[in-house]
Amino acid sequence: MENNRSSWGSNLGFLLAAIGSAVGLGNIWGFPYKMGKSGGFTFLIVYLLLAIFVGMIIMVSELAVGRKTKLSPIDAYQKVSKKFAWIGWLATIAPFLIMSFYTVLGGYCLQYIALNMTKLSFGNDAVAMSGGEIFGAMLTTPLGCVVFTILFIVICMVIVQGGVSGGIEKFNKVGMPALFVMLLIIIVRSLTLPNASEGLKFMFVPGYAVKAGFIESSPNLITVLGTAGGQMFFSLSLAMGAILTYGSYLSKEENLVKNSVIIVASDTLIALMAGIAVIPAAVANGIANGTPVGQIKLSGPNLLFVTLQDVFSNMGKVGPLFGVIFYVLVLIAAISSAISLMETIAAHWIDKDLQKGETDTRQRNVLIVSLLILIEAVVVAADGLGSNFSPASLLGISAPPVFLDCFLDFMDCWSEGIAMPLGAMLMALMIGWEKGPGLVLDEVAHGDPSAGFKAFYRVCVRFVVPIVMAFVLAGQMMDFFGGSQVIWYIVAVALLVIFWVIAASGEKKTE
Ligand code: PHE
């Protein structure tokens, strides 16, 4: 079977694809405002520490399990573990749920590219509405959202049908450098706007977000840990099967530790660059229009689709050109992530067919997966972030908790909120206590890790990762379900203890 399984054309191709998976809406949209809202520099430091002690560890682990088994998540975990075989299901269902809204957001990007192209061709007044009016009109026009979501899914489908090296790798080899250049252009434009420095202060000066009135008070460290942890996992594509699947196509010669460092560093760099591109522009534009600094919208969907559209509309004749460049950049980031999610789901059936001796079933399997994604995505596209209907309105609940606000939040809750932190916690317990760190370290040995890395890995996978993930899980449940923080901490710690005991009982392990 292995001979017929796909593989990357080169290590560089793999790296660009993995960076493509990591760099997505999470970087360009989530990172900048979460950083600002969670106390700027404090958030950045917590984020970096988590990326090194937790993100790196899970990244190496996923790549190792993928490459060792040469299988997609469900079969890979089944092969590796008796007790935790079901993590593979978490890591396949979660990407499926993420795709329900990721494709809708991709569709929004397509619509904003079309909008800015219209303005570019026919003048800014061709669509003389404010960003807020445009966004509102788009959300309450379900047909358009559905059509562009389908278009986005078709683009991803065609790329993934092209194969691992023929489609995914090719797209990223062109897309990632292009994204980088476009981001640089937007950064230069953003930083040369008057008052752009206020935006930089929001991001980098400790306490400034509070002083300027963006937030009432700095969140406590535990809240920052939860927010930064959730953001880091989503942004690095971890515990979603994607990195494991990409690792399963990697050749034995490649150095997994070095590759992980490059992916984590690039993703963080792009997130910071995106912040520097987006926040100063939004703040500068707000100040130019007389909005009190603290009231400039720097969070939620508004940032990308309302505030920034206003920035481009207010830039005069060249504005729409920057608009096109910016939304194309976001589109590339969205596609390169979405194709990794699609590949993760489809790989399961492609592998199954290979095991039965059937080769060349990629086209068919990717088509079926795309159709399934389309069904769920249509619901998310049509509800218009809750403008048209929502889980809460269908259930007749007023004042609902966040996860019932709209179908996007509902899908995000189970995937990013629960499956992701739980999956990462279980994976660390499985490696650290059920199987022993040798499971990963032996595989890493093909790329020759140092003794220092081995010691670092053992401590992190056994203690740091499971404990941090319990905090992240509690933070996510708190955000989505509301209610008492204490209760969610008790739930998360209880889960941690139960699974820790299960993992550590019986059998001998490999160091
Ligand atoms: N990392 C992507 C982003 O930042 C999202 C993603 C999550 C992609 C999980 C693949 C797997 O937007």
Side-chain angles (χ1 to χ4, degrees):
M1 162 191 159
E2 282 190 12
N3 294 340
N4 287 320
R5 209 164 179 273
S6 310
S7 58
W8 301 107
S10 66
N11 193 51
L12 178 69
F14 156 75
L15 275 175
L16 289 172
I19 294 169
S21 170
V23 171
L25 296 166
N27 302 59
I28 298 170
W29 187 358
F31 185 87
Y33 83 80
K34 284 187 191 161
M35 180 173 167
K37 293 262 158 184
S38 304
F41 226 69
T42 325
F43 177 90
L44 185 60
I45 301 298
V46 174
Y47 185 96
L48 291 177
L49 289 175
L50 286 175
I52 295 167
F53 289 97
V54 180
M56 260 293 293
I57 298 297
I58 296 289
M59 180 74 69
V60 172
S61 308
E62 280 202 44
L63 290 177
V65 172
R67 188 171 73 175
K68 186 185 174 82
T69 56
K70 291 212 169 297
L71 290 167
S72 46
I74 295 178
D75 290 342
Y77 281 99
Q78 245 155 31
K79 189 164 174 181
V80 165
S81 165
K82 281 203 197 80
K83 294 173 183 166
F84 295 105
W86 52 281
I87 308 177
W89 284 96
L90 285 184
T92 305
I93 293 170
F96 180 68
L97 297 179
I98 297 250
M99 279 300 267
S100 74
F101 60 86
Y102 219 84
T103 53
V104 175
L105 298 170
Y108 293 171
C109 292
L110 287 169
Q111 283 181 279
Y112 273 71
I113 294 169
L115 171 84
N116 282 285
M117 282 187 164
T118 309
K119 284 168 164 266
L120 193 62
S121 311
F122 303 105
N124 257 317
D125 286 343
V127 186
M129 294 195 284
S130 70
E133 287 164 345
I134 292 169
F135 193 49
M138 182 183 79
L139 293 181
T140 47
T141 313
L143 184 62
C145 292
V146 169
V147 167
F148 281 93
T149 299
I150 294 175
L151 185 57
F152 183 84
I153 294 176
V154 170
I155 295 172
C156 295
M157 183 183 83
V158 170
I159 296 171
V160 178
Q161 281 183 331
V164 173
S165 62
I168 298 174
E169 186 170 341
K170 260 198 191 141
F171 175 81
N172 283 295
K173 270 189 163 163
V174 180
M176 283 303 108
L179 177 142
F180 193 78
V181 173
M182 287 190 249
L183 195 52
L184 283 178
I185 296 174
I186 300 290
I187 287 179
V188 171
R189 176 64 285 210
S190 170
L191 289 183
T192 47
L193 291 169
N195 289 317
S197 60
E198 290 297 306
L200 289 179
K201 286 193 212 156
F202 171 85
M203 285 181 72
F204 295 109
V205 177
Y208 185 77
V210 179
K211 210 174 101 203
F214 287 103
I215 46 174
E216 273 171 28
S217 60
S218 283
N220 64 36
L221 205 60
I222 295 210
T223 312
V224 175
L225 193 69
T227 313
Q231 170 64 24
M232 188 266 298
F233 259 76
F234 188 76
S235 183
L236 288 175
S237 303
L238 294 174
M240 290 285 184
I243 295 295
L244 190 154
T245 307
Y246 274 14
S248 75
Y249 304 131
L250 193 60
S251 111
K252 287 280 180 206
E253 285 84 64
E254 307 306 343
N255 185 326
L256 298 185
V257 180
K258 206 162 109 196
N259 275 342
S260 299
V261 172
I262 296 174
I263 300 166
V264 173
S266 311
D267 183 66
T268 311
L269 176 73
I270 301 274
L272 275 171
M273 287 173 66
I276 296 171
V278 166
I279 300 284
V283 173
N285 183 63
I287 293 174
N289 291 332
T291 314
V293 174
Q295 282 168 30
I296 300 167
K297 269 271 180 199
L298 293 179
S299 69
N302 279 343
L303 175 62
L304 216 56
F305 296 112
V306 174
T307 315
L308 277 170
Q309 182 53 49
D310 278 336
V311 172
F312 300 125
S313 299
N314 291 338
M315 259 180 207
K317 279 208 178 77
V318 289
L321 182 60
F322 285 105
V324 172
I325 294 175
F326 179 76
Y327 291 107
V328 168
L329 174 175
V330 185
L331 178 71
I332 293 175
I335 293 176
S336 63
S337 297
I339 53 180
S340 74
L341 293 162
M342 197 180 253
E343 174 67 23
T344 303
I345 309 163
H348 174 68
W349 282 280
I350 297 173
D351 277 353
K352 282 277 171 246
D353 286 341
L354 264 183
Q355 284 159 10
K356 285 188 266 168
E358 278 183 68
T359 50
D360 298 328
T361 60
R362 171 170 287 272
Q363 306 281 330
R364 185 186 71 209
N365 282 311
V366 174
L367 175 69
I368 296 170
V369 168
S370 304
L371 288 173
L372 293 175
I373 291 171
L374 194 146
I375 295 170
E376 50 166 6
V378 163
V379 180
V380 178
D383 97 340
L385 299 182
S387 310
N388 308 317
F389 57 90
S390 70
S393 74
L394 296 178
L395 294 167
I397 298 173
S398 54
V402 170
F403 85 110
L404 295 177
D405 264 350
C406 61
F407 274 93
L408 185 154
D409 283 329
F410 184 75
M411 298 299 206
D412 195 25
C413 169
W414 306 116
S415 48
E416 193 187 350
I418 311 265
M420 192 181 66
L422 189 64
M425 179 164 101
L426 294 175
M427 182 185 202
L429 292 174
M430 175 192 93
I431 294 169
W433 300 94
E434 187 201 7
K435 308 305 294 182
L439 171 77
V440 166
L441 291 174
D442 290 348
E443 180 64 29
V444 172
H446 293 290
D448 205 14
S450 65
F453 177 79
K454 287 184 175 180
F456 171 72
Y457 181 84
R458 286 195 188 103
V459 173
C460 290
V461 82
R462 285 196 160 141
F463 300 102
V464 182
V465 179
I467 294 170
V468 168
M469 288 333 287
F471 277 102
V472 175
L473 182 62
Q476 299 277 34
M477 290 195 285
M478 172 71 207
D479 282 349
F480 281 108
F481 299 124
S484 148
Q485 204 164 2
V486 179
I487 304 255
W488 293 124
Y489 279 110
I490 294 173
V491 171
V493 172
L495 286 172
L496 175 66
V497 173
I498 292 169
F499 287 119
W500 203 315
V501 171
I502 293 177
S505 60
E507 296 175 47
K508 50 181 175 324
K509 349 260 179 233
T510 51
E511 271 305 304

